Amino acid sequence: MDREHAASPGGATEAVGRTRTTPDRRAATTAGALVLVAFLAGILSVVPVLEEPDYLGSVTERRGELIAGALFQVVMVAAYAGFALVLHPILRRASPALSVGFVGFRLVMCGFHLLAVVMLSLLLDLAQGYDAAIGTPAAETYAILAETMRNGRDLVNHVVVITTMGLGDLLLLVLLLRWRMVPAWLSVWGLAGVASAIAASILLLAGVVDVVSAPYLALTAPLAVQGLVLAGWLIVRGLDTARLPK
């Protein structure tokens, strides 16, 4: 009876399904889903009030935007870290050194993301102090400190985080390209995107471009779009790990 069940069409289908759903396949699908979560959380972590000319007087009233931005940035951090940790067992088979480097850069990047969350909370405190000090000399001091905090957060998010993430992605993409785990064009696109994003960070640091500007967005868009395409590939096709050492 058992042998008949094993030879039945349903049993064969279940066996094939079990064969295709390997740990590597599950890891790739999870990694792709985490990229999408990070992308969505990144969009939702934007705090519109901070981009307004006279933002400081509106921060306390619109504190919900800052709280939501901080919470979504924490979600983004978890997704970024999860992506690296989920892929690490696969990448380690290709190169233990480069895989550890990739995870290390990702975790450092997550640390800076959390620093930006703390800076956002401090910015809210400064705004509340500014509101209480309006009409006194202390208000100008609060305004200067708040602007410094806002600019510092921008530099952390768009220079330090982007550069650190780019260096980690460089290691990941080298592994993907070397072992042909995804199509070569996708890896090369990613490498070009990393170079463009880091260039955008350098220009931002030098004061040549602003965070909310067409040149900055144009330079960072290729890596963002490549990340979405890579996520889709991981979910639909997974990683080709046939060439990796067992």
Side-chain angles (χ1 to χ4, degrees), residues 8-81:
S8 67
T13 300
E14 291 173 3
V16 171
R18 286 194 297 269
T19 299
R20 290 177 177 174
T21 310
T22 63
D24 287 354
R25 186 71 181 87
R26 288 194 295 270
T29 301
T30 303
L34 287 171
V35 172
L36 297 181
V37 170
F39 182 80
L40 179 59
I43 293 175
L44 296 175
S45 70
V46 174
V47 184
V49 66
L50 296 184
E51 305 305 326
E52 298 177 359
D54 300 320
Y55 70 93
L56 191 56
S58 304
V59 166
T60 301
E61 181 181 345
R62 296 164 60 179
R63 60 179 295 165
E65 291 184 18
L66 275 74
I67 294 172
L71 291 176
F72 281 115
Q73 192 161 7
V74 171
V75 172
M76 183 168 53
V77 167
Y80 276 139

